[in-house]
Amino acid sequence: MPGSVTTALDRATTKTGSTLLNKVPAITATFWLIKILSTTIGETFADYLAVQVGLGTAVTDGAMMTLLAVALVAQLRAKKLIPWLYWLTVVLVSIVGTQITDFFTDVLGVSLYVSTAVFSVVLAVVFTVWWRQERTLAITAIDTPRRERYYWGAILTTFALGTAGGDLATEALSLGFRNGALIFGGLILAVWLARRLGLNAVLAFWIAYVLTRPLGASLGDLLTQDRGFGGLGLGASLTSLIFLGVIIALVAREQVNANRHGIRAKGESPAVSPHRDYAWAAAGAVAVVAAAVVLAPAPTPAAASPATAAAPGKGGHVNPLEADATSPIGDLRPFAVIVDDVAASAKKGDLAAATARIKDLEVAWDNGEAAMKPASPDDWHSMDSAIDGALTALRATPPTKAASVSALTALQSTIGTLEKKQ
């Protein structure tokens, strides 16, 4: 009965000629650049709030889901495309989609193979129901309330699927974030070539839309990871600020164009020259690269030392995870030093000092995740679980000496076990 009422209302709206203007921006170079940048923010911003700011996973997840609900309600109530509101919703969907996948993987322990398969099925169901009721999946026809609801349901699922599929490729297949960026970028290029050769436009769009999620995540890891792990060392906060700044500039331009020219009925965007759009997209990409190069910290001697220790006659940078075989996931000694400091404070009963010091461990572990996890996901999860146990014990309300020492002893044991593996 509710479904028939909704259908009747949608049909009535169509007959009266008061259908919504298409509420999705035109698919241009700027669209794809903003989409990729927003997926990177989805990967980095939640980590920044949870770890660097110290809100924790639960508070961060709740805050982002609340903001998404507010933005999505505002987006659905709007009668036309409002660029800043649309892209704000996309950024929040990106963050929440990442959180959903991380919850299944890190909290519930669901295999990436399973989560990727589940999200694929969910997306297929959304598309099937959408097609049966609307006979179109084209984003140039998001011009009724029901179609828009299907659209945002599909968008959220693509972000979750892109996160799971990307993590599966880079972690389970041990590709790493650098290879991941090249592979997913290559796949998107292949989709573009296939479209030029006649691939259905709607199919090409949705395939590329899913693939931009792992591409953006890989690029984010490349920028945020410490130079010692093969990244540029910008960190999550600086990377998020750079990307957010470029997004704001590009969306502001879209908003100005919308205010000046209006949105055409089929959502083909304001009357702006495609060449000018390509120029803006190129300028945005150059701005990101330039900021990364200028703001990237210089390599520290410790990070540069593995290169000097490379075999004679073999030049170039050597990732310390590849040069040091102290554990399956790399050199754990820097983490062990922090853990020993925390354990010493906890054994003395100075839980405040222990809690303050373990923050360094949390940040360092988060910074190394993208490089260490693909090397041996099972061993990484063992270490991650032990760290979570120590964090939980020290951040309990109130923490106890016995529980904290026990959790830290278990963490030290885990480090010892991993170091003995190789």
Side-chain angles (χ1 to χ4, degrees):
M1 182 66 177
S4 62
V5 172
T6 302
T7 302
L9 288 173
D10 288 343
R11 287 175 179 170
T13 302
T14 302
K15 289 180 179 180
T16 59
S18 59
T19 53
L20 301 174
L21 294 177
N22 191 66
K23 293 176 67 179
V24 177
I27 310 306
T28 63
T30 299
F31 175 94
W32 287 114
L33 178 60
I34 298 175
K35 169 61 169 65
I36 293 172
L37 296 180
S38 68
T39 62
T40 302
I41 289 181
E43 180 76 7
T44 60
F45 189 67
D47 286 344
Y48 169 70
L49 292 179
V51 179
Q52 274 79 6
V53 176
L55 295 182
T57 302
V59 173
T60 301
D61 289 357
M64 292 299 101
M65 289 181 182
T66 300
L67 289 175
L68 173 60
V70 172
L72 191 54
V73 168
Q75 169 66 24
L76 292 173
R77 287 185 174 182
K79 299 302 181 183
K80 63 180 181 179
L81 172 64
I82 303 174
W84 71 264
L85 180 58
Y86 173 87
W87 286 112
L88 173 63
T89 307
V90 169
V91 170
L92 291 171
V93 167
S94 173
I95 295 172
V96 172
T98 301
Q99 292 173 326
I100 290 173
T101 301
D102 289 346
F103 175 78
F104 279 104
T105 304
D106 298 333
V107 178
L108 300 183
V110 177
S111 165
L112 287 171
Y113 292 96
V114 174
S115 59
T116 300
V118 169
F119 290 130
S120 297
V121 171
V122 171
L123 184 60
V125 170
V126 172
F127 282 149
T128 299
V129 177
W130 183 358
W131 171 260
R132 286 182 175 178
Q133 294 198 0
E134 300 295 334
R135 310 309 295 179
T136 178
L137 301 178
I139 63 165
T140 55
I142 309 302
D143 49 13
T144 69
R146 186 169 64 187
R147 288 180 180 180
E148 188 177 14
R149 289 193 293 271
Y150 282 130
Y151 171 77
W152 285 109
I155 293 299
L156 179 58
T157 308
T158 62
F159 275 105
L161 172 59
T163 302
D167 288 349
L168 175 63
T170 57
E171 295 171 16
L173 303 180
S174 301
L175 295 179
F177 57 85
R178 288 170 294 175
N179 290 335
L182 293 174
I183 290 172
F184 289 114
L187 289 174
I188 291 174
L189 178 60
V191 172
W192 177 78
L193 291 173
R195 173 72 188 105
R196 300 279 292 183
L197 295 174
L199 179 66
N200 179 271
V202 175
L203 178 60
F205 170 83
W206 286 112
I207 293 175
Y209 205 93
V210 171
L211 290 174
T212 54
R213 174 59 188 82
L215 172 63
S218 297
L219 292 175
D221 289 335
L222 181 62
L223 293 173
T224 59
Q225 291 296 291
D226 187 88
R227 283 181 174 270
F229 293 123
L232 291 181
L234 290 181
S237 57
L238 187 54
T239 299
S240 296
L241 285 174
I242 292 173
F243 280 35
L244 187 60
V246 175
I247 287 176
I248 289 174
L250 294 175
V251 172
R253 168 186 170 272
E254 293 291 315
Q255 188 64 58
V256 169
N257 286 333
N259 293 341
R260 182 179 301 167
H261 303 291
I263 302 295
R264 289 192 282 178
K266 287 191 179 280
E268 295 298 336
S269 85
V272 176
S273 167
H275 296 293
R276 185 176 299 177
D277 178 80
Y278 279 115
W280 273 89
V286 169
V288 169
V289 174
V293 171
V294 171
L295 298 175
T300 61
S305 60
T308 62
K314 294 185 178 181
H317 177 76
V318 178
N319 191 320
L321 293 177
E322 299 166 356
D324 193 307
T326 55
S327 86
I329 55 176
D331 188 359
L332 297 181
R333 289 171 296 182
F335 305 104
V337 169
I338 301 175
V339 173
D340 290 343
D341 289 346
V342 177
S345 296
K347 289 177 181 177
K348 293 177 183 177
D350 191 353
L351 298 184
T355 301
R357 177 61 168 147
I358 205 169
K359 175 71 174 180
D360 296 332
L361 174 65
E362 184 181 25
V363 173
W365 185 247
D366 184 69
N367 288 341
E369 176 181 351
M372 303 180 78
K373 194 173 182 181
S376 180
D378 290 339
D379 290 316
W380 184 90
H381 280 293
S382 296
M383 178 81 170
D384 188 58
S385 296
I387 291 175
D388 285 342
L391 290 170
T392 300
L394 284 168
R395 292 173 178 173
T397 51
T400 64
K401 177 180 178 180
S404 299
V405 170
S406 176
L408 289 164
T409 300
L411 175 54
Q412 289 173 319
S413 177
T414 299
I415 293 175
T417 300
L418 292 176
E419 289 180 332
K420 291 176 182 178
K421 277 195 168 186
Q422 283 188 306

